[in-house]
Amino acid sequence: MKSHFFHLMPYQHLPADFARRYRSVWVDVPSQLYDPVKGHVLYNEYLDELEHADQAGFDGVCVNEHHSNAYGLMPSPNLMLAALARRTRRAALIVLGNSLALYNPPIRVAEEMAMLDVMSGGRFVAGFPVGSSMDTNFAYGQTPATLREKYREAHDLVMRAWTTPEPFTFNGKYTQLRYVNVWPRPLQKPHPPVWIPGTGSVETWEWVARNDYSYSFLSYFGFKPAQHSMQGYWETVERVGKDRNPYRAGYLQLVAISDSDARAEAEYAEAAEYFYHRCLHVPDHFFAAPGYMTPKSMQAAKTPFSFETLKKLSWKDFVDEGYIVAGSPATVRDRLRAVVEELHVGHLMLLLQFGNLSKEQTLRNTELYAREVMPSLRGLWSEWTDHWYPQPLRESERVGEPARFVAAEA
């Protein structure tokens, strides 16, 4: 089993009364709340944390794309991976991902991802999310009813651009190009591994399975709703005739590790409340614009997702309901193993930094996971082959970490 350090890069300086004074952390959050000087510090701290995860032995580091929000400061995750490509050595560089329907033309994604694959020596994983309704419909003005159709067409264009050796013409409904000729080409052949993030769309399950991609269930509502979604996914995988290789799936989990179960609350409760009460302060009318979710997916949802339900939850609720796996290393080991086995997932994405958790505490959380938890989980699914993990160049073929140049004295 593989462990990946996932970072949202939240803005940590929202006022304590933010949820009462402002209607949303997304779409129309006032820009005057953002301090670029503090943002400069945060970006560098967050990159330090991601680089540290590589050094600690994580299998991958993950970033993603969001717009017009204080929840995640990465309108361009590719910029973050470009920085990490030069400052990391071993971990897969996973973008979860680029929202394909937002790019005009979508071959921009093919070009930038090919660059990242080449720069990193083949450590790149391509994630293609449809994108949240807040990002796609409200922030970027995409029509909800045609968003998924536009996304699928963009996906087809990117994959053809990566795998067709000669220039070709593309005449789609949303994109028309006389010449498609992507330079550079991806290092991994026929293309980098593809992971599709999702939150439970039934159409996505079948599309992922038929394309032989890996599905990443990204939800902050914990283990219980994930059981329902992953059961539906695995039933779909079997129905379309694919095997139950656990590496066909990933799952995101908030994790908070302390010396003991009792100390976890004192060390992480404030950050958890900041994350759930401020970073996820989103009204339902932004969460799903009419037409964004298909009727089939709405009917299949066991319980409708609503960020509004998070407002009254406390630390005890977060832990008891599985929103956060927290406690001593032994407690976290046992609970995560149970989650991984129940959901049958081979890729575990860990949010070890969340809310306003400090850099110091994040690094400690990361170290405890790497040292005390990760080794006990690594042997899971050893009977399966992971076909959805990068195949980089051999170490001898890859360029080393950049030299540190010192200016000569005059």
Side-chain angles (χ1 to χ4, degrees):
M1 200 210 74
K2 293 184 172 66
S3 297
H4 309 290
F5 185 100
F6 196 116
H7 215 310
L8 295 174
M9 299 194 176
Y11 189 62
Q12 295 191 1
H13 304 287
L14 297 173
D17 60 352
F18 175 79
R20 188 176 72 252
R21 291 179 58 193
Y22 305 98
R23 73 168 178 171
S24 180
V25 76
W26 228 306
V27 181
D28 62 356
V29 57
S31 60
Q32 62 263 31
L33 293 177
Y34 181 74
D35 183 337
V37 175
K38 293 177 179 177
H40 165 75
V41 174
L42 288 176
Y43 276 137
N44 283 276
E45 287 186 351
Y46 291 158
L47 286 167
D48 287 346
E49 291 161 8
L50 285 155
E51 292 167 15
H52 181 75
D54 170 66
Q55 296 162 11
F58 280 71
D59 296 289
V61 292
C62 308
V63 293
N64 65 355
E65 175 179 336
H66 292 296
H67 303 280
S68 303
N69 75 103
Y71 149 90
L73 302 174
M74 279 187 285
S76 177
N78 296 355
L79 288 178
M80 292 302 164
L81 287 191
L84 292 168
R86 288 279 286 171
R87 298 284 296 173
T88 59
R89 291 297 301 156
R90 299 174 183 84
L93 302 180
I94 305 164
V95 59
L96 287 174
N98 285 175
S99 300
L100 288 174
L102 305 185
Y103 291 81
N104 182 23
I107 54 170
R108 180 74 178 192
V109 174
E111 292 170 330
E112 291 189 3
M113 287 188 170
M115 288 178 66
L116 289 166
D117 196 40
V118 174
M119 287 169 61
S120 66
R123 290 186 288 135
F124 182 72
V125 173
F128 296 140
V130 172
S132 77
S133 189
M134 295 85 76
D135 294 313
T136 58
N137 305 138
F138 291 101
Y140 266 49
Q142 297 297 311
T143 303
T146 59
L147 176 68
R148 294 172 193 277
E149 181 183 49
K150 187 176 182 183
Y151 165 86
R152 298 285 177 88
E153 180 183 288
H155 159 270
D156 293 347
L157 173 55
V158 169
M159 300 309 289
R160 280 189 62 189
W162 278 345
T163 57
T164 303
E166 301 295 335
F168 63 91
T169 299
F170 187 87
N171 287 312
K173 180 178 180 180
Y174 300 98
T175 300
Q176 300 83 40
L177 294 169
R178 175 64 183 88
Y179 296 102
V180 179
N181 185 24
V182 169
W183 279 69
R185 312 291 292 182
L187 189 151
Q188 297 180 82
K189 302 302 180 187
H191 54 74
V194 175
W195 296 9
I196 306 297
T199 57
S201 169
V202 296
E203 293 87 0
T204 298
W205 297 338
E206 182 160 346
W207 185 76
V208 168
R210 292 193 182 280
N211 280 283
D212 215 24
Y213 297 154
S214 183
Y215 176 70
S216 300
F217 183 70
L218 306 182
S219 167
Y220 306 118
F221 289 79
F223 171 62
K224 293 180 180 179
Q227 288 176 298
H228 173 68
S229 290
M230 294 310 301
Q231 180 182 355
Y233 171 68
W234 287 118
E235 289 173 353
T236 303
V237 167
E238 292 182 333
R239 178 168 52 79
V240 302
K242 304 291 186 178
D243 61 24
R244 284 178 58 88
N245 187 328
Y247 293 108
R248 290 185 182 277
Y251 169 68
L252 181 146
Q253 179 65 62
L254 276 76
V255 171
I257 311 174
S258 187
D259 294 332
S260 66
D261 293 356
R263 283 194 56 79
E265 179 175 4
E267 294 178 355
Y268 294 99
E270 179 186 346
E273 291 178 2
Y274 186 100
F275 178 67
Y276 279 104
H277 296 166
R278 284 182 250 183
C279 292
L280 294 180
H281 174 54
V282 181
D284 288 344
H285 63 267
F286 282 155
F287 178 67
Y292 173 76
M293 291 184 67
T294 65
K296 189 175 180 181
S297 290
M298 293 175 69
Q299 293 166 5
K302 190 173 183 180
T303 55
F305 291 115
S306 172
F307 290 131
E308 302 283 355
T309 64
L310 303 173
K311 293 180 178 179
K312 296 182 179 180
L313 298 183
S314 65
W315 172 259
K316 186 177 186 303
D317 299 318
F318 297 141
V319 175
D320 291 350
E321 297 299 315
Y323 290 71
I324 302 175
V325 173
S328 68
T331 296
V332 171
R333 276 196 303 268
D334 292 344
R335 291 181 180 170
L336 278 182
R337 188 180 187 97
V339 166
V340 168
E341 291 179 339
E342 174 65 26
L343 301 183
H344 196 70
V345 296
H347 294 281
L348 189 59
M349 278 75 81
L350 291 311
L351 268 184
L352 295 162
Q353 192 290 329
F354 47 86
N356 60 355
L357 196 67
S358 69
K359 177 182 176 181
E360 178 184 19
Q361 189 65 23
T362 298
L363 295 180
R364 184 168 183 271
N365 200 20
T366 303
E367 282 289 340
L368 285 170
Y369 182 88
R371 187 175 67 246
E372 305 291 342
V373 178
M374 187 160 58
S376 69
L377 299 177
R378 195 175 288 282
L380 283 172
W381 317 127
S382 58
E383 68 274 24
W384 294 91
T385 300
D386 186 355
H387 302 291
W388 298 271
Y389 191 70
Q391 299 297 317
L393 294 173
R394 293 189 300 270
E395 189 73 24
S396 61
E397 298 176 295
R398 287 160 51 192
V399 174
E401 186 174 341
R404 300 293 182 264
F405 296 101
V406 179
E409 292 185 7

